[in-house]
Amino acid sequence: MTRFEPKIIAFLCNWCSYVAADAAGVSRFVQKPNVRVIRVFCSGMVDPSYVIKAFASGADGVLVAGCHPGDCHYLAGNIKALRRSFLLRKLLSELGVEEKRFRLEWIAASESPLYAKLMNEMIEDVRNLGPCMPSSQKPLKGVA
Amino acid sequence: MKKVGVYICHCGTNIGGTVDCHKIAEELSSEIGEVAVCRDYKYMCSEPGQKMIRDDIAELGLDHVVEASCSPKMHEPTFRNAVSAAGMNPYLFEMVNIREHCSWVSDNPDAATDKAKDLIRGGIARVTHHEPLTGSKKSVNPTALVVGGGIAGITAALKIAKAGYQVFMVEKEEIIGGKMAQFDKTFPTLDCSGCILTPKTSEVGRNPHIETMTKSEVIEVSGFVGNFKVRVLQRPRYVSVEKCTGCGDCQQVCPINIPSPFELGMTTRHPISRPFPQAIPNTYSILRAGMPPCQSACPAGVNVQGYMTLTGVGKFDEALSLVRERMPFASACGRICVRPCEDACKRGQLDAPTAICFTKRFLGDHEKETGLQPNPPMKESREEKVAVIGSGPSGLSAAYYLSIEGYQVTVFEKLPVAGGMLTVGIPAYRLPRDVIEAEIANIRDMGVTIRTGITFGKDLTFESLEDEGFRAVFLSTGLHVSRKLNLEGEDLKGVMGGIDLLRKVALNEQVHVGKSVIVIGGGNVAVDVARTALRLGATKVDLLCLEARHEMPAWERELNEALEEGVTIQNSLGPKRFIDRDGKICAVEFKRCTSVFDANGNFKPTYDENETVELQCETVFVAIGQSPENNFTNSLGLETGPGGTVSIDTETMSTNRPGVFAGGDCTLGPATFVQAVAHGRQAALSIDSYIKHGGLREIRPAERKVAPEIGEAEKNRARPIERSAMPVLPPEERKKSFEPIELGFTAEMAMTEGQRCLACGMCCQCGECVRKCGPQAIDLSETERIRELEVGAIVVATGIDIFDAGKYPEYGHGKYPDVITNLQFERLCNASGPTGGKVVRPSDGKVPKSVVFIQCVGSRDRAKGYEYCSKVCCMISAKQLSIFKHHNPDGQAYVFYIDNRAGGKGYEEFLRRAIEQEEAQYIRGRVAKVFEEGGRLIVRGENSLVGHPVEVEADLVVLATGLVPQKDYMNVGRAINLSTDRYGFFMELHPKLGPVETSLAGIYLAGGCQGPKDIPESVAQGGAAAAEVLALFSMGQVEIDPTVANLDERLCTGCRTCVGMCAYNAISFDEQRKVASINQALCQGCGTCAAACPVAAIEVQHYTPDQIFAQIEGILAS
């Protein structure tokens, strides 16, 4: 039996986390090949519906990453992302999406080792959870 | 169906070595209908690659292009230009990152290929939703800001200014020149650093296009490329750059010496000084750390450090005059003040606080002896009359400062003597009458009229004062009514109010005090009453109060003195009733007080009524507090607060009646002498402003306070002198009379106390330099201010710091004076340095024979320092040992090194010369320890080439300390919105191709703030940054990204959620149409409004939900 390979969508902010992901590449910090990055300007631009959409389209995990509080390129967009994340988590749990499948992280441009580490960690967490099969026992595909 | 062209780059083997690009290209062509063409190519960014795209667009009529290669941070502009050149709108293009995010981080080619394919599929899905967009054009403000005045910043500023553009240079220190100004020579040419730098700094000073702001920091940057708004915090120089002639008279009279930061503590400087004679700006400035804790603790804000310092150098009259700027009563204050200054004095954290109060008292005593009355200079006389009601400390203080302002002041006093509580409340053994009389006489001599025996409300009213032409009234009537217990028997014969006793004694009225006396109360008045009773012949005095011993509000010192004199104190007892015999008091019954305060700290005593004590006595004094004369304040028609005190505005001291001000105890309730004086002065300033302008006084921003905890620098400044003890009369002698107990300081004692001061504020604002300065260039009242600049481009060149050698305690820096850092060695060699250019040992001034250099202190050391190589230290040591050998040809230099790194033009040759000609011994290995043995320093290390330990005797050890980010890199980074690497160096746009650009258009980096580098590199970067700025300026305008928020008004419900989200005030609410309105010129495109909009009426162009959803679906389609 082949090992389950989860798919994780990572929304990375243009100014910190995306730069960290690039720098991880430049430094050749090897990561498991399960993450697919979508670049956004700011973690504050990530509409909760994007996260739901990703799960609905078959993602097994979603990461939203932005600058550290106080370092946001847009002053406090990351804080707004944080504010939204609480309700989003609740909603996801209602939908039967396990807690560890969604993460909001602060990754500075200089923290490329952290980026690689977090990604590998999350991949293993999600792998252990298995495919995202919300309560309906069917993938959420087609909901959003 | 739209036609999409897809191009997959191999990037040589960078992508192609891991990802099977050709296979993906083939599969995508067949799997996705929209893909009109899908090609893979070795280098898409090359001209043939770009041409391939251009040709396809033209020939196949492509609607969109997807390019999969490196990070869009790298080549997005390249490919956008390529599609533009073929006539396609650049926003119809999408770039997919399969290098940094895929091939470079995957070790499994199959998985990497799948991943790349997913990513490209996402790109294709997304791009079909792209719309053509055009950015608006904005003109560029051709003014540059250079942050940092080191060699990199200077180079950039000069080049930009030379092209004719205006430059603002912001420098944190008092001079420009940066670290290079501290160097003696430069490697590998051994050029004199100053000789090549100072022509540049003076050019900056002369250039009409450059405005330099020293002691300034950028605190906020907003706006965008070409149109930045910058807020700069300018700290005061205190010396006008325009007026100062650089004559240096000021520093000759400055009484303070502090370690010179420029000389790295190897010598001292005066707070008013300039680091070296050729410094730019070539004027003096003052180092002031902020308001010292003693002064901030003083309610009256007396410049304690100032007068302590002046006293320390024997300038007693000047010191007293400084005291009087805030406190008219030096002698009285020196005797009775509660001394918050001494509690705050940082010397107290070391041994004992400086004896501030006694020193001030000495100044007053000295005045009495010499007969001179130093007062602040009087201003021109004015006609306006001001009335002061009450001649207590508050009233007299107001009169004093009003008189200095030139007003005609009359003080009206109800009692037959002036002075208020100073005269009738404080016993003469604490404050002798002649002392207070002399200070009142001083106030009289300044032109203040004091009329005693006049009762306000009876002899005078506000109306009668107005009729007499008084323009303002200051009410300071104090609290002269003894508070009552309201117990049965309180009006018996032999029961009396505490302050009534003190007043009667002061006024020489007849009082009968029995042999045994009970005093009720636990405050200072109670203690004064008890001690006065002793002096009036009582043989047994019992002081009883509700509070436990530690809760008593009375001063510990006073309590101890009372105990010494024989007063007994009984705690936790409250009076229950007064017992009489034949209508005369004979005893008091007390009950146990179980607690005085409630849980919130409010006065709310509880008692145990069953536990009682009866105490015999002949006289009882009740000293439980004072209150104003109620019927009096009620009759004034003024608003009153708790306890009948007059309500005032605490900033201006004004009452609700125009022209009437109030202060002191009658507004505060029972407070301290020094608070009353502070009120008086504050009111005087308000009255002055009221009369002159009809308004209330301007409130200046308070000066920044010095940290309350003692620091290393202050500890090092402390001279080893013990606090002088005040000589006092022995208890048996003093209780017999009202003679003063404390005998006073001698001039020597006062001076040594002055010398104990740690100069926490650095400059003490004593005013010596102001008096000396011919062109009157010095203004000690200067404050911090914020300046707003508008600039089009910013060059950040904030430089670098030196590693703190203290992190290697085994090397003994700070412990052994002859272990120094390489920057300190530079100062030793420098002709304007602490030794005048003689390379000698700091400890004894002897010429060292053997000098050991220890490399990599803080560099290439993951455990204690930084992992990186600081790049310059090998060369610095080679240079320094060469200089040492030139000064001292018989000397021997040793270098403990890890690797010699000498990459650079002429560097290796220079290093070889150091080894071969200067005969330096290079020993490969780390040093374990530097220690002292038999008066010599021993450097113990390892020669790793032979694998043996080595020990070298050294006269001088030089630590080659590495280069580290500036301590405040975080503040600068946040103010300008720069990213930093993991050490704290600012991140450039690209390590190879964008070394001076940042991720923010219009903001560039130069010099050490981006990473350790030597002078030629810093200069090159300064020039490169200037070139970027000039390119921007010559373009004249910039295209603003069209990726801004867009509102669909048809969907907007007018909920205004977005308005609160926007950090740039770009969204407003249109009241008429009841919808939001977005100002796209202000919008930065962060998209937080779009994410928050509950009806999805807002979209960020190029980041629409359609596009993101499509990308998600595309990625996950497999």
Side-chain angles (χ1 to χ4, degrees):
Chain A
M1 197 181 118
T2 54
R3 197 167 65 141
F4 166 58
E5 290 297 343
K7 279 197 179 162
I8 292 172
I9 297 280
F11 293 98
L12 304 185
C13 95
N14 184 46
W15 306 98
C16 293
S17 314
Y18 194 89
V19 180
D22 271 3
V26 173
S27 309
R28 313 294 199 277
F29 292 138
V30 170
Q31 298 147 42
K32 292 167 186 136
N34 305 61
V35 177
R36 311 284 182 263
V37 172
I38 294 179
R39 180 162 72 133
V40 290
F41 276 138
C42 178
S43 52
M45 132 184 292
V46 179
D47 191 314
S49 70
Y50 296 178
V51 177
I52 305 212
K53 170 73 185 174
F55 281 116
S57 304
D60 302 298
V62 176
L63 168 83
V64 177
C67 311
H68 283 270
D71 287 346
C72 178
H73 183 78
Y74 303 105
L75 308 174
N78 49 358
I79 302 298
K80 285 155 194 159
L82 175 69
R83 267 172 19 195
R84 281 177 204 132
S85 67
F86 301 104
L87 185 60
L88 176 57
R89 276 182 214 283
K90 213 164 202 173
L91 188 61
L92 289 174
S93 99
E94 296 282 314
L95 290 169
V97 176
E98 293 90 337
E99 206 186 317
K100 282 189 171 175
R101 293 190 190 273
F102 170 71
R103 284 176 82 154
L104 174 67
E105 296 288 347
W106 310 138
I107 305 170
S110 56
E111 293 176 323
S112 50
L114 175 72
Y115 171 78
K117 183 176 154 266
L118 271 174
M119 293 310 354
N120 286 337
E121 209 177 272
M122 185 169 176
I123 291 165
E124 283 319 303
D125 283 350
V126 174
R127 195 196 305 283
N128 290 336
L129 288 170
C132 185
M133 298 283 280
S135 46
S136 63
Q137 295 301 309
K138 289 187 295 212
L140 269 174
K141 210 172 250 185
V143 168
Chain B
M1 193 161 60
K2 286 186 165 176
K3 287 197 234 168
V4 181
V6 181
Y7 303 87
I8 304 169
C9 179
H10 293 241
C11 195
T13 56
N14 281 307
I15 298 170
T18 315
V19 172
D20 189 343
C21 300
H22 189 67
K23 182 181 152 217
I24 298 176
E26 283 191 336
E27 287 175 4
L28 286 176
S29 318
S30 58
E31 286 170 15
I32 302 178
E34 284 95 339
V35 176
V37 58
C38 187
R39 302 181 198 275
D40 58 304
Y41 185 66
K42 208 154 191 81
Y43 290 107
M44 282 306 303
C45 58
S46 66
E47 175 49 29
Q50 293 188 39
K51 185 165 179 295
M52 193 191 294
I53 298 175
R54 290 200 303 267
D55 291 349
D56 281 353
I57 293 172
E59 287 163 22
L60 303 173
L62 298 177
D63 299 304
H64 296 283
V65 167
V66 170
E67 212 282 328
S69 54
C70 50
S71 169
K73 298 250 169 200
M74 178 95 193
H75 271 315
E76 194 172 52
T78 313
F79 293 109
R80 278 191 176 164
N81 284 339
V83 300
S84 279
M88 181 186 278
N89 182 287
Y91 288 89
L92 297 175
F93 159 82
E94 172 70 6
M95 185 149 179
V96 178
N97 182 348
I98 57 168
R99 190 177 76 175
E100 282 83 349
H101 293 184
C102 185
S103 66
W104 275 352
V105 293
S106 306
D107 48 10
N108 176 343
D110 290 339
T113 304
D114 287 347
K115 178 174 177 178
K117 194 177 161 192
D118 281 353
L119 290 168
I120 298 167
R121 222 186 300 102
I124 298 166
R126 186 187 208 277
V127 83
T128 54
H129 293 269
H130 283 195
E131 299 283 338
L133 297 172
T134 320
S136 59
K137 302 265 187 195
K138 279 268 167 170
S139 60
V140 171
N141 174 2
T143 303
L145 168 70
V146 175
V147 191
I151 187 61
I154 288 173
T155 308
L158 284 175
K159 292 206 188 301
I160 299 167
K162 213 173 261 177
Y165 297 106
Q166 172 72 30
V167 179
F168 292 103
M169 179 181 271
V170 171
E171 167 58 51
K172 193 171 67 177
E173 302 297 331
E174 58 197 317
I175 57 164
I176 60 167
K179 288 281 176 294
M180 193 176 166
Q182 287 173 286
F183 300 157
D184 178 49
K185 300 262 188 314
T186 58
F187 60 80
T189 48
L190 292 183
D191 277 323
C192 157
S193 178
C195 310
I196 55 176
L197 174 71
T198 50
K200 296 271 175 206
T201 54
S202 46
E203 205 180 327
V204 170
R206 278 197 317 270
N207 195 308
H209 294 307
I210 303 178
E211 184 183 336
T212 307
M213 283 175 261
T214 49
K215 298 184 97 167
S216 301
E217 283 171 52
V218 171
I219 52 170
E220 192 188 326
V221 172
S222 56
F224 53 93
V225 51
N227 300 274
F228 293 108
K229 281 199 173 64
V230 182
R231 280 155 62 84
V232 178
L233 173 73
Q234 281 189 289
R235 295 186 206 288
R237 283 181 73 89
Y238 301 104
V239 184
S240 159
V241 177
E242 286 78 34
K243 291 187 196 161
C244 175
T245 60
C247 68
D249 286 351
C250 50
Q251 67 174 0
Q252 284 165 10
V253 295
C254 180
I256 289 189
N257 280 305
I258 50 171
S260 162
F262 187 79
E263 301 294 352
L264 304 147
M266 299 214 293
T267 184
T268 58
R269 64 167 272 177
H270 298 297
I272 188 161
S273 184
R274 62 182 165 190
F276 65 104
Q278 298 80 29
I280 297 288
N282 198 6
T283 54
Y284 283 70
S285 76
I286 293 177
L287 293 190
R288 165 105 168 151
M291 186 180 279
C294 44
Q295 188 177 0
S296 352
C298 178
V302 179
N303 181 355
V304 177
Q305 193 198 326
Y307 74 75
M308 290 304 284
T309 305
L310 287 171
T311 309
V313 294
K315 296 196 171 180
F316 303 138
D317 294 338
E318 289 84 347
L320 184 56
S321 168
L322 196 62
V323 173
R324 293 235 160 103
E325 281 183 13
R326 294 270 184 164
M327 162 60 69
F329 312 98
S331 278
C333 186
R335 285 170 166 85
I336 63 166
C337 188
V338 294
R339 307 174 190 178
C341 49
E342 291 190 22
D343 293 338
C345 176
K346 289 207 224 179
R347 179 104 199 196
Q349 296 169 43
L350 199 64
D351 45 15
T354 46
I356 297 168
C357 218
F358 294 152
T359 307
K360 181 164 56 220
R361 173 186 158 168
F362 163 78
L363 295 174
D365 294 350
H366 178 75
E367 175 189 35
K368 250 181 103 189
E369 243 165 63
T370 57
L372 291 171
Q373 295 183 329
N375 289 307
M378 304 279 286
K379 297 191 183 156
E380 210 174 303
S381 177
R382 302 176 63 95
E383 283 175 4
E384 292 94 341
K385 286 160 66 178
V386 180
V388 173
I389 315 295
S391 68
S394 183
L396 288 179
S397 156
Y400 181 83
Y401 291 106
L402 283 165
S403 167
I404 286 175
E405 291 297 329
Y407 294 98
Q408 308 305 313
V409 188
T410 309
V411 181
F412 298 97
E413 170 59 52
K414 181 171 149 187
L415 294 175
V417 289
M421 279 295 183
L422 290 179
T423 310
V424 300
I426 295 170
Y429 60 86
R430 280 176 65 198
L431 180 57
R433 291 295 161 256
D434 58 332
V435 169
I436 187 64
E437 275 161 18
E439 299 212 295
I440 294 173
N442 177 34
I443 295 173
R444 276 207 173 95
D445 291 349
M446 294 176 73
V448 173
T449 312
I450 303 177
R451 293 174 59 191
T452 52
I454 294 180
T455 308
F456 185 73
K458 202 171 81 187
D459 307 324
L460 287 174
T461 59
F462 286 132
E463 290 73 24
S464 73
L465 286 171
E466 253 169 57
D467 293 345
E468 284 179 54
F470 285 98
R471 292 284 304 276
V473 179
F474 179 60
L475 200 65
S476 56
T477 46
L479 303 173
H480 287 268
V481 177
S482 239
R483 275 246 294 279
K484 292 209 160 184
L485 286 160
N486 297 324
L487 280 184
E488 182 197 331
E490 205 171 346
D491 44 6
L492 285 171
K493 213 174 161 206
V495 183
M496 194 175 169
I499 46 169
D500 300 332
L501 170 78
L502 297 178
R503 182 172 60 244
K504 285 186 180 193
V505 171
L507 297 175
N508 290 323
E509 287 175 23
Q510 198 62 42
V511 222
H512 173 75
V513 175
K515 287 286 165 206
S516 68
V517 170
I518 287 177
V519 180
I520 299 174
N524 280 326
V525 173
V527 178
D528 282 346
V529 167
R531 297 172 73 186
T532 300
L534 271 184
R535 283 162 175 76
L536 292 175
T539 50
K540 180 174 178 295
V541 178
D542 290 298
L543 188 145
L544 295 102
C545 62
L546 296 177
E547 296 90 355
R549 181 73 164 83
H550 67 274
E551 291 169 329
M552 287 177 73
W555 248 20
E556 197 54 32
R557 196 164 63 105
E558 299 275 321
L559 278 172
N560 287 335
E561 285 178 0
L563 287 169
E564 282 168 16
E565 290 169 14
V567 174
T568 56
I569 297 174
Q570 300 196 39
N571 295 96
S572 304
L573 288 171
K576 193 171 180 184
R577 66 191 178 104
F578 295 98
I579 304 165
D580 72 307
R581 189 184 300 140
D582 311 327
K584 204 174 166 300
I585 187 85
C586 68
V588 184
E589 191 186 350
F590 289 90
K591 53 190 173 184
R592 179 63 54 194
C593 174
T594 48
S595 78
V596 187
F597 303 100
D598 67 6
N600 300 326
N602 296 321
F603 182 77
K604 209 168 188 184
T606 54
Y607 301 97
D608 180 356
E609 300 282 345
N610 299 324
E611 193 187 338
T612 58
V613 189
E614 199 180 300
L615 219 58
Q616 305 295 317
C617 65
E618 290 169 50
T619 313
V620 175
F621 295 107
V622 180
I624 56 155
Q626 297 103 267
S627 52
E629 292 171 46
N630 268 337
N631 45 3
F632 161 71
T633 42
N634 288 345
S635 69
L636 297 177
L638 297 178
E639 275 175 22
T640 52
T645 53
V646 178
S647 300
I648 52 165
D649 177 275
T650 49
E651 284 291 345
T652 62
M653 322 302 293
S654 54
T655 64
N656 60 319
R657 188 180 171 120
V660 176
F661 297 75
D665 278 3
C666 75
T667 62
L668 287 165
T672 58
F673 157 76
V674 62
Q675 275 174 296
V677 171
H679 265 194
R681 180 171 174 276
Q682 215 173 331
L685 301 183
S686 290
I687 290 170
D688 174 52
S689 177
Y690 171 77
I691 292 176
K692 278 187 192 148
H693 315 297
L696 299 167
R697 82 189 163 86
E698 169 199 20
I699 297 161
R700 291 179 74 101
E703 192 183 6
R704 206 175 284 264
K705 289 178 189 174
V706 170
E709 299 82 25
I710 192 166
E712 277 311 306
E714 285 144 347
K715 277 185 197 164
N716 293 339
R717 288 207 285 267
R719 294 187 221 184
I721 308 171
E722 266 184 47
R723 179 179 161 121
S724 307
M726 172 58 90
V728 288
L729 279 182
E732 10 357 303
E733 249 175 79
R734 68 192 189 215
K735 70 178 185 189
K736 291 177 204 152
S737 74
F738 282 92
E739 280 304 302
I741 296 172
E742 291 172 340
L743 303 174
F745 267 14
T746 61
E748 290 68 35
M749 289 160 90
M751 281 174 72
T752 52
E753 279 308 313
Q755 289 155 11
R756 290 181 74 234
C757 176
L758 302 179
C760 306
M762 298 200 194
C763 166
C764 66
Q765 306 197 324
C766 64
E768 285 291 280
C769 53
V770 180
R771 289 186 277 276
K772 189 76 185 177
C773 180
Q776 300 198 321
I778 306 170
D779 176 7
L780 296 177
S781 67
E782 256 185 38
T783 49
E784 286 180 359
R785 58 200 188 103
I786 305 249
R787 193 158 154 199
E788 296 200 353
L789 305 175
E790 291 190 352
V791 299
I794 300 174
V795 176
V796 180
T798 46
I800 209 151
D801 205 352
I802 306 297
F803 182 79
D804 172 15
K807 289 185 184 156
Y808 287 75
E810 64 272 31
Y811 292 168
H813 185 255
K815 183 176 170 195
Y816 307 120
D818 294 331
V819 177
I820 59 175
T821 67
N822 51 7
L823 194 55
Q824 287 177 313
F825 189 88
E826 293 287 334
R827 297 313 301 158
L828 271 190
C829 305
N830 194 287
S832 63
T835 56
K838 284 191 217 102
V839 182
V840 292
R841 287 153 53 104
S843 61
D844 54 10
K846 281 190 191 146
V847 175
K849 284 253 170 340
S850 145
V851 178
V852 176
F853 292 84
I854 301 176
Q855 296 306 111
C856 295
V857 178
S859 312
R860 305 181 67 197
D861 184 352
R862 245 184 274 189
K864 275 189 227 157
Y866 290 82
E867 200 178 334
Y868 57 80
C869 167
S870 290
K871 209 172 177 183
V872 295
C873 330
C874 289
M875 293 308 297
I876 290 176
S877 292
K879 171 190 78 178
Q880 292 185 338
L881 73 87
S882 303
I883 298 172
F884 162 64
K885 284 287 283 185
H886 298 170
H887 278 73
N888 183 10
D890 299 335
Q892 175 63 50
Y894 302 85
V895 182
F896 279 90
Y897 72 102
I898 310 297
D899 295 299
N900 272 318
R901 300 196 161 175
K905 201 171 173 180
Y907 288 11
E908 177 64 21
E909 299 91 314
F910 184 79
L911 187 81
R912 294 295 344 152
R913 272 211 303 282
I915 297 170
E916 287 158 13
Q917 285 177 24
E918 314 298 355
E919 294 172 335
Q921 269 205 42
Y922 272 71
I923 304 161
R924 188 178 187 280
R926 263 209 190 274
V927 169
K929 198 176 174 186
V930 178
F931 57 99
E932 207 172 39
E933 204 173 78
R936 292 204 75 179
L937 290 171
I938 312 286
V939 181
R940 179 185 290 162
E942 186 203 11
N943 186 336
S944 61
L945 292 180
V946 292
H948 269 296
V950 271
E951 278 190 5
V952 179
E953 283 195 4
D955 298 314
L956 185 66
V957 175
V958 181
L959 307 178
T961 38
L963 303 181
V964 297
Q966 293 280 19
K967 281 182 200 74
D968 61 349
Y969 76 85
M970 189 81 99
N971 297 343
V972 177
R974 287 198 170 164
I976 308 180
N977 221 336
L978 295 170
S979 314
T980 53
D981 67 11
R982 64 197 165 106
Y983 307 111
F985 294 113
F986 298 134
M987 295 234 305
E988 64 280 14
L989 182 66
H990 190 273
K992 301 280 174 251
L993 299 174
V996 299
E997 290 157 90
T998 65
S999 61
L1000 306 168
I1003 300 183
Y1004 309 100
L1005 301 176
C1009 66
Q1010 180 255 349
K1013 53 180 60 71
D1014 59 13
I1015 294 169
E1017 273 185 277
S1018 296
V1019 170
Q1021 277 204 331
E1028 295 282 356
V1029 171
L1030 293 176
L1032 177 68
F1033 288 176
S1034 68
M1035 282 197 306
Q1037 52 181 14
V1038 284
E1039 191 180 304
I1040 305 301
D1041 264 346
T1043 50
V1044 289
N1046 217 349
L1047 173 82
D1048 186 341
E1049 284 185 6
R1050 293 167 307 171
L1051 298 177
C1052 179
T1053 59
C1055 72
R1056 308 186 202 198
T1057 306
C1058 52
V1059 178
M1061 282 287 140
C1062 185
Y1064 303 97
N1065 296 322
I1067 311 182
S1068 54
F1069 184 70
D1070 187 331
E1071 286 290 351
Q1072 274 187 337
R1073 297 168 50 234
K1074 303 287 176 207
V1075 288
S1077 159
I1078 298 175
N1079 179 348
Q1080 293 192 330
L1082 293 176
C1083 176
Q1084 305 286 310
C1086 70
T1088 186
C1089 56
C1093 179
V1095 293
I1098 305 178
E1099 287 179 355
V1100 174
Q1101 299 185 141
H1102 209 56
Y1103 284 85
T1104 66
D1106 278 0
Q1107 291 163 354
I1108 305 276
F1109 279 19
Q1111 188 175 5
I1112 294 170
E1113 281 178 357
I1115 288 173
L1116 296 171
S1118 64

